[in-house]
Amino acid sequence: MCALVAAYDYIGQSWLANNCTSTLLHVMPAATVTFVHAILLLWWSLVSWVQSTPLRRNDCPGYKASNVRRTDNSITADLTLAGTECNIHGQDLRDLKFLAEYQTDTRLHVIIYDKDEQVYQVPDFVLPRPGGTVCGEETLLDVALEEEPFSFTVKRKSNDEVLFTTKGSNIIFESQYVRLRTSLPENPSLYGLGEHTDSLRLPTSNYVRTLWARDAGAVPQNSNLYGTHPVYYEHRAGSDQTHGVLQLNSNGMDIKINNDSGQYLEYNMLGGVIDLYFMAGPTPFDVSKQYSGISQKAAMMPYWGFGFHQCRFGYSSVEEVAAVVANYSAAKIPLETMWTDIDYMDEFKVFTLGPKFPLNKMRDLVEELHSNGQHYIVMVDPAVAYQDYPAFNNGVDSDVFLTIGNGSLYKGRVWPGVTAFPDWFHENTQDYWDSEFESFFSPTDGVDIDALWIDMNEPANFCEWPCLHPEQETTDETVDLHGNPYDTPSIRRRVNHQPPRIRRHVQNAPRQTESGSKRGLPGRNLTVPSYKIQNSWGAISNKTADTDLIHQGGWAEYDTHNLYGTMMSKASAHSMQKRRPGKRPMVITRSTFLGAGNYVGHWLGDNVSAWDQYITSIRHFLQFAAFFQVPMVGADVCGFLGDTSENLCARWTTLGAFYPFYRNHNVAGARSQEAYRWDSVAAGARKAIDIRYRLLDYIYTAMHQQHVDGTPLAAPLWMHYPSDPTTHAIETQFFYGPSLLISPVTAPDSTSVTFYLPNDLWYDLFTLRAIDSPGEETTYNDVDFASIPVHIRGGSIIPARVNSAMTTTELRDQDFELLVAPDREGFARGTLYLDDGESIEQEGVSEIVFVYEGGRIRCEGSFGFETKVGVRSLTLLGREGAVKYRLDEGLDGGWEYELVR
């Protein structure tokens, strides 16, 4: 759900001029800003202008190394400032430490930190560090040091290829600014560094990727978005090998890629340490799997979570929600899960129900859904209304809200008006969150949700910095994409409401700055640092929690801002699991950081109903599934903001069937876009969901594989064909699972698409026709709006359900068929994972392998999951056509057949 409809700053971004037909109104606040606010904004502008002069490469002295020691599995050194302090954006730190450790045969860890270990480091309890140690002689990577001027270089041993080197550029390590540059080969193929909607292969000239989580309505290009993932993948065409580099730092940063003095990538960080992990690959999938060893493995999602979901911001009553469910049933369109946005709340207060969503009717709705094998999800925001009601009072009693220096609660302004924000570092917050979930979402007498949606957790704040008077009633107009006022009566009516009781305020624990604390240096400017990252909201405290807030334990919001959403994700997943012990929690979040996929999935935020965003959603979701280890991901189908069109919605509904997470969602005031609203969209939805559901066990198996070893369930074309340079810039085609190539129509209102088939044997999923491609483009014409080109890669066996169903519960009772698509040598292989679909600990699972070779098909593996379904048919594809065979085999043991054409 979108803070955009309560803001106006995004207006004028380029996508509107090019792609949106709606007229937008820029409404300025009627109230005069305070004198202090005006002075601060003026000063901010002047400071930004003064510091905009670029820093030359060696304006600062750098460091020299001494006491260098090499062991079998590590290198250590002392680093000392090599000259006069430059103090360009803070105080130069004179004494540093260097450590390089060989953790596995493919992973090298390099960290440069202050001698006293006061400088902030990402806490282990937020992201546990991977361990391990191996002998350096057994590794694929090596690291070398030059003592004066200090530099380090990481090489690939097999060909002596330099993957990362700081040679020729002095490191700057200051109290509030850290700069590190590596040289790159010309025209590198770089991917990652998200979250963004820029090109999948990153630009290499005059490009800046800012990492600072923000409420980024309309998910614009060339902007920092909701999450921060400071990892990049680089494929080297010369050696045909891929490696990855992670900078494990949660501070705000600009990552600059340019070729103005040779090709380079440069980190410019607001603090923290240099904490690098190098992943050797050598294949793209190797890098992704190695990265999962750092980020932690992706959470396994419930089987039903891969069904089709419907939501809208603007459903006015529980009766309207129930009517949508009934309309889907009447239209014979499968609906797995119904969602409700913040409309269900009492004036947008979390853990409340509004008068049009009474508890008895909400329980009736959920009971009806459950009786039909369907599910229900609602949204919870982190901001708690600063009003006299249980959720706020309980938080005050537990002392879990962020406070300012004098111990009083920090106030922001979000949907319910004045709000308090939970401190996820606080020792009491998990119990508080668990208790609110246990009470409000009680299966026996509350709103019995099946999964959870969390939003606004960057954290978003409607109040513009310095947000001196959030309790004052605002006279800002709130407008939608049409320029029409959007009715948010609770903001106007309740913003002056003061809670009559606050039992006590307990100030957060004092800052710990002693040696070894790793919580941050004292004396820093935590709101207006000298170095200005290119945050699209300007000041780093603007439209979020103030960055000088101190969390319990002494951690500053300045350092931990980018962790807020992921810490809420972890807490929420815990609360969901606790209320239903033993069941996999499914939580979908907006803001993410490294490691978020271990707890949650991600929807791609408040996108726009526009053709260009339909296209950019492909590269956006691929970042998370393939690079960031957050595989349960997808965009709002048909778009969230503005009016969709019939053709766009039909096309997007078809594309969305190949997102891992599949949901239709749009904003209040826009044209209704449920799939049954147009005949063509309804037809497209039936066809798309039919395909998706028949393939659901194929993608569920791929999800399980990513959960186990990090193999991406969806990936761009280049990861499967890294040796083919044509694939390196392709971003509108992708692999769904290991074997299916998806090539959606991307031109607006078109029925034609030209796509690339690499050098391989392919089979059209719908015609079953073989295409032996030498590596060339193919054009399909007359692709109607309910269709999408899909090709099976030769060498694959696809297990599919014989029939689709209205729910995934019914689907699990359907038998399987096998699509056998041999490669040029006549070999094919596929896998199938079966379990009960929801338990964390399984009583038994089946991990089945199907192999076709020499004209014979065999089924082997483990068969621990009891099921009555079996394999009832097999279709053997070939250059001469397809032949279908009847089978009558169970999935409780191995078998083998000879196939005779």
Side-chain angles (χ1 to χ4, degrees):
M1 210 276 307
C2 179
L4 176 67
V5 294
Y8 45 80
D9 304 63
Y10 68 94
I11 300 173
Q13 298 191 18
S14 61
W15 60 266
L16 290 169
N18 297 326
N19 299 289
C20 189
T21 58
S22 300
T23 302
L24 283 162
L25 179 64
H26 191 163
V27 183
M28 294 301 292
T32 305
V33 295
T34 67
F35 175 75
V36 174
H37 195 170
I39 293 298
L40 283 168
L41 291 174
L42 176 61
W43 178 68
W44 170 267
S45 300
L46 290 173
V47 170
S48 298
W49 177 78
V50 169
Q51 72 95 38
S52 64
T53 303
L55 182 68
R56 294 190 300 274
R57 296 181 68 185
N58 290 305
D59 281 350
C60 290
Y63 290 81
K64 58 183 178 182
S66 62
N67 197 25
V68 178
R69 295 183 179 179
R70 180 183 287 268
T71 68
D72 288 343
N73 49 41
S74 68
I75 304 173
T76 61
D78 297 328
L79 306 182
T80 306
L81 198 66
T84 303
E85 299 171 353
C86 69
N87 297 337
I88 184 87
H89 292 300
Q91 180 68 43
D92 281 283
L93 275 65
R94 181 162 294 277
D95 296 307
L96 305 177
K97 294 283 190 180
F98 174 92
L99 168 64
E101 49 187 355
Y102 301 99
Q103 294 187 332
T104 72
D105 60 342
T106 59
R107 187 176 72 230
L108 170 69
H109 178 217
V110 173
I111 183 169
I112 299 174
Y113 57 99
D114 58 309
K115 183 181 71 172
D116 294 330
E117 296 190 81
Q118 292 185 8
V119 172
Y120 165 78
Q121 297 185 32
V122 176
D124 286 345
F125 60 81
V126 177
L127 184 71
R129 297 298 194 277
T133 180
V134 298
C135 179
E137 294 181 356
E138 301 171 358
T139 64
L140 300 183
L141 301 178
D142 199 7
V143 58
L145 271 64
E146 290 192 8
E147 295 189 20
E148 190 171 359
F150 166 75
S151 67
F152 71 92
T153 299
V154 177
K155 293 184 177 182
R156 190 184 295 279
K157 287 182 181 178
S158 62
N159 57 7
D160 212 32
E161 184 176 35
V162 173
L163 305 185
F164 193 100
T165 182
T166 64
K167 188 179 296 186
S169 176
N170 290 336
I171 292 173
I172 301 174
F173 200 120
E174 297 180 343
S175 56
Q176 293 196 251
Y177 177 69
V178 179
R179 189 191 72 178
L180 179 77
R181 175 182 290 194
T182 178
S183 300
L184 294 172
E186 291 184 7
N187 300 315
S189 291
L190 300 170
Y191 307 86
L193 299 179
E195 179 179 3
H196 64 80
T197 53
D198 303 336
S199 59
L200 191 69
R201 185 171 68 174
L202 298 174
T204 58
S205 179
N206 297 314
Y207 181 68
V208 179
R209 172 53 30 241
T210 298
L211 302 187
W212 185 253
R214 77 177 186 100
D215 177 2
V219 289
Q221 296 183 47
N222 302 310
S223 172
N224 52 308
L225 302 181
Y226 309 103
T228 51
H229 296 267
V231 60
Y232 71 84
Y233 293 54
E234 182 185 356
H235 182 72
R236 297 283 177 90
S239 62
D240 195 27
Q241 297 185 94
T242 306
H243 67 276
V245 180
L246 165 67
Q247 176 71 272
L248 207 168
N249 184 307
S250 67
N251 286 85
M253 67 180 77
D254 289 334
I255 302 174
K256 300 180 179 181
I257 304 173
N258 208 348
N259 54 8
D260 57 348
S261 53
Q263 189 72 59
Y264 63 86
L265 181 148
E266 181 180 277
Y267 300 95
N268 296 264
M269 303 180 291
L270 291 179
V273 301
I274 296 167
D275 196 354
L276 296 163
Y277 288 84
F278 298 92
M279 296 149 282
T283 73
F285 283 98
D286 289 336
V287 177
S288 192
K289 290 189 285 187
Q290 290 154 17
Y291 179 67
S292 74
I294 306 168
S295 68
Q296 307 176 89
K297 298 299 188 290
M300 188 63 188
M301 294 293 170
Y303 186 91
W304 64 263
F306 292 90
F308 175 69
H309 305 258
Q310 175 62 49
C311 185
R312 182 172 191 176
F313 176 35
Y315 290 139
S316 62
S317 67
V318 65
E319 288 84 3
E320 185 176 1
V321 174
V324 172
V325 176
N327 288 339
Y328 268 100
S329 178
K332 299 293 189 293
I333 300 172
L335 174 65
E336 184 68 21
T337 307
M338 192 66 205
W339 297 48
T340 307
D341 210 309
I342 62 174
D343 309 279
Y344 77 92
M345 301 176 187
D346 178 24
E347 298 181 325
F348 301 152
K349 299 191 297 290
V350 294
F351 305 118
T352 66
L353 291 174
K356 293 187 177 181
F357 293 84
L359 180 59
N360 63 323
K361 291 186 177 182
M362 290 290 280
R363 288 189 59 79
D364 288 345
L365 170 67
V366 176
E367 184 177 349
E368 178 69 16
L369 287 166
H370 287 174
S371 69
N372 293 329
Q374 296 169 298
H375 300 84
Y376 188 58
I377 296 174
V378 300
M379 173 185 283
V380 173
D381 290 342
V384 178
Y386 196 93
Q387 298 176 25
D388 184 6
Y389 83 110
F392 177 77
N393 295 330
N394 294 340
V396 171
D397 287 347
S398 300
D399 303 320
V400 300
F401 295 128
L402 285 169
T403 60
I404 61 178
N406 64 6
S408 60
L409 294 192
Y410 170 74
K411 300 176 185 177
R413 190 175 76 242
V414 194
W415 287 106
V418 179
T419 53
F421 294 85
D423 178 358
W424 304 110
F425 285 87
H426 199 289
E427 61 187 355
N428 297 337
T429 302
Q430 186 66 69
D431 288 344
Y432 161 72
W433 209 239
D434 289 348
S435 178
E436 296 303 316
F437 274 63
E438 182 180 4
S439 173
F440 186 73
F441 295 123
S442 169
T444 58
D445 56 9
V447 183
D448 187 17
I449 59 173
D450 298 284
L452 180 70
W453 180 19
I454 55 177
D455 186 21
M456 308 293 285
N457 53 350
E458 291 73 32
N461 182 0
F462 296 163
C463 196
E464 292 197 29
W465 183 79
C467 194
L468 300 176
H469 302 290
E471 67 282 353
Q472 292 183 352
E473 183 173 354
T474 177
T475 56
D476 295 6
E477 287 287 349
T478 302
V479 298
D480 63 19
L481 281 178
H482 308 281
N484 302 316
Y486 177 72
D487 183 22
T488 53
S490 68
I491 293 178
R492 300 184 180 92
R493 191 165 59 245
R494 301 285 273 175
V495 74
N496 283 322
H497 183 91
Q498 295 296 314
R501 63 187 183 95
I502 297 180
R503 295 181 179 85
R504 64 186 183 276
H505 293 306
V506 177
Q507 188 172 358
N508 283 325
R511 296 296 307 278
Q512 301 180 40
T513 56
E514 71 276 6
S515 178
S517 72
K518 301 180 184 178
R519 285 170 171 81
L521 292 168
R524 294 178 294 162
N525 185 331
L526 298 178
T527 53
V528 188
S530 171
Y531 181 77
K532 303 295 183 293
I533 60 171
Q534 296 184 27
N535 176 27
S536 292
W537 284 138
I540 57 175
S541 289
N542 196 29
K543 295 184 178 292
T544 189
D546 286 359
T547 49
D548 60 351
L549 297 175
I550 306 301
H551 297 268
Q552 188 189 55
W555 281 276
E557 178 67 9
Y558 175 93
D559 299 308
T560 63
H561 166 84
N562 287 331
L563 304 179
Y564 195 92
T566 294
M567 294 183 74
M568 181 190 182
S569 298
K570 182 179 180 181
S572 299
H574 181 278
S575 297
M576 288 296 291
Q577 184 179 335
K578 187 173 182 181
R579 62 181 287 275
R580 282 191 175 174
K583 303 298 184 184
R584 297 173 192 151
M586 187 174 84
V587 180
I588 303 298
T589 186
R590 191 167 77 175
S591 185
T592 58
F593 182 71
L594 164 66
N598 187 240
Y599 313 106
V600 295
H602 172 56
W603 105 100
L604 298 177
D606 302 326
N607 61 356
V608 179
S609 297
W611 283 98
D612 72 322
Q613 295 225 347
Y614 157 84
I615 297 167
T616 59
S617 74
I618 300 171
R619 62 194 190 223
H620 196 178
F621 102 82
L622 287 175
Q623 292 177 47
F624 282 88
F627 305 149
F628 304 152
Q629 290 295 325
V630 186
M632 192 64 167
V633 59
D636 282 343
V637 166
C638 302
F640 177 71
L641 295 166
D643 287 340
T644 192
S645 67
E646 180 177 355
N647 285 348
L648 174 60
C649 196
R651 196 62 89 193
W652 212 330
T653 299
T654 304
L655 169 64
F658 296 93
Y659 295 150
F661 173 61
Y662 186 25
R663 183 185 70 169
N664 181 314
H665 180 221
N666 72 319
V667 71
R671 171 186 294 170
S672 297
Q673 63 184 40
E674 291 85 2
Y676 52 76
R677 296 287 179 177
W678 298 273
D679 289 343
S680 68
V681 179
R686 294 186 199 101
K687 183 175 180 179
I689 297 171
D690 178 84
I691 297 166
R692 180 182 179 88
Y693 280 19
R694 292 183 63 199
L695 293 170
L696 200 61
D697 293 85
Y698 163 81
I699 197 63
Y700 187 72
T701 298
M703 175 76 204
H704 179 257
Q705 193 64 46
Q706 185 155 5
H707 169 69
V708 170
D709 71 0
T711 300
L713 68 80
L717 194 55
W718 76 268
M719 291 186 73
H720 286 266
Y721 293 89
S723 299
D724 183 348
T726 303
T727 67
H728 294 175
I730 292 176
E731 57 184 16
T732 56
Q733 295 176 255
F734 61 95
F735 267 84
Y736 187 65
S739 304
L740 297 179
L741 177 61
I742 317 301
S743 305
V745 176
T746 54
D749 297 313
S750 175
T751 58
S752 177
V753 60
T754 298
F755 53 88
Y756 181 72
L757 292 179
N759 185 356
D760 217 327
L761 183 59
W762 302 88
Y763 302 87
D764 187 297
L765 177 65
F766 303 108
T767 67
L768 304 183
R769 182 174 65 92
I771 305 173
D772 196 340
S773 175
E776 62 184 14
E777 289 186 338
T778 298
T779 298
Y780 277 13
N781 296 308
D782 301 321
V783 182
D784 64 64
F785 288 92
S787 299
I788 186 170
V790 181
H791 292 85
I792 307 171
R793 184 181 185 177
S796 306
I797 297 178
I798 308 294
R801 299 282 181 170
V802 173
N803 297 301
S804 183
M806 290 297 289
T807 67
T808 62
T809 300
E810 297 172 2
L811 182 68
R812 290 174 65 85
D813 292 332
Q814 299 295 319
D815 287 319
F816 285 93
E817 62 178 338
L818 300 180
L819 292 177
V820 181
D823 61 18
R824 287 165 173 163
E825 286 70 46
F827 176 84
R829 183 181 186 277
T831 59
L832 175 64
Y833 173 77
L834 298 174
D835 66 11
D836 70 12
E838 62 178 1
S839 297
I840 296 173
E841 299 292 335
Q842 294 285 331
E843 292 184 3
V845 304
S846 294
E847 297 183 82
I848 302 168
V849 179
F850 303 102
V851 178
Y852 174 78
E853 58 183 341
R856 302 183 70 84
I857 181 80
R858 68 178 184 270
C859 170
E860 57 193 22
S862 63
F863 303 89
F865 177 69
E866 294 185 9
T867 178
K868 295 180 181 180
V869 304
V871 180
R872 301 305 174 216
S873 65
L874 178 154
T875 301
L876 178 62
L877 310 183
R879 300 172 192 269
E880 304 82 18
V883 179
K884 188 169 185 176
Y885 300 84
R886 289 289 303 169
L887 293 178
D888 190 18
E889 287 292 344
L891 289 170
D892 54 359
W895 42 263
E896 184 171 353
Y897 285 93
E898 182 177 2
L899 301 181
V900 180
R901 278 188 173 270

